[in-house]
């Protein structure tokens, strides 16, 4: 199952903080080898894992990030604050429907996203 071969079992807030048994980064080399320059991010713990991953993706590795705001969640009262931090300085905050519309638009990747 090729999709499962891409799974990273993470114990860190930032998904970029996971290393193999030799101390090598796991996620960044994979993304680089696939030619990825933009990460569409969804997941849990907006104020922890999502925020930490966005910081690393943008600041440390230079990726563009689209944070899918209806695809992230947390159990704390800090969800709205985390979305505000992400959207005001680091990433695009966008709804799933807008991301899908952009991806499914002919020649979408030849132009800058307008979320």
């Amino acid at each position: 199952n090729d999709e499962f071969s891409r799974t990273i079992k993470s114990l860190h807030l930032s998904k970029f903080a996971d290393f193999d048994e030799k101390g090598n980064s796991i996620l960044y080399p994979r993304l680089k080898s696939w030619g990825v320059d933009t990460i569409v991010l969804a997941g849990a713990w907006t104020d922890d894992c999502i925020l930490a991953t966005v910081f690393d993706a943008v600041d440390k590795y230079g990726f563009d990030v689209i944070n899918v705001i209806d695809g992230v969640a947390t159990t704390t009262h800090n969800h709205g604050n985390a979305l505000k931090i992400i959207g005001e300085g680091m990433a695009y905050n966008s709804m799933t429907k807008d991301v899908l519309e952009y991806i499914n638009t002919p020649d979408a990747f030849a132009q800058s996203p307008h979320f």
Side-chain angles (χ1 to χ4, degrees), residues 16-109:
F16 287 97
D18 294 299
F19 297 90
D20 66 17
E21 61 280 348
K22 295 179 182 177
N24 299 313
S25 176
I26 297 172
L27 183 58
Y28 177 70
R30 287 184 186 185
L31 297 175
K32 187 175 179 179
S33 74
W34 297 330
V36 172
D37 63 2
T38 303
I39 297 171
V40 178
L41 195 56
W45 297 103
T46 311
D47 52 335
D48 291 313
C49 297
I50 299 297
L51 194 57
T53 301
V54 170
F55 275 129
D56 278 352
V58 172
D59 192 45
K60 189 173 182 180
Y61 295 106
F63 287 104
D64 291 327
V65 176
I66 300 168
N67 182 50
V68 183
I69 59 176
D70 56 336
V72 296
T74 195
T75 63
T76 74
H77 64 279
N78 295 315
H79 180 72
N81 293 331
L83 290 177
K84 186 174 182 181
I85 291 166
I86 291 167
E88 287 188 359
M90 295 182 290
Y92 290 111
N93 276 335
S94 185
M95 299 292 286
T96 300
K97 67 177 183 62
D98 297 323
V99 173
L100 291 174
E101 181 181 315
Y102 177 75
I103 289 171
N104 291 312
T105 300
D107 300 321
F109 298 103

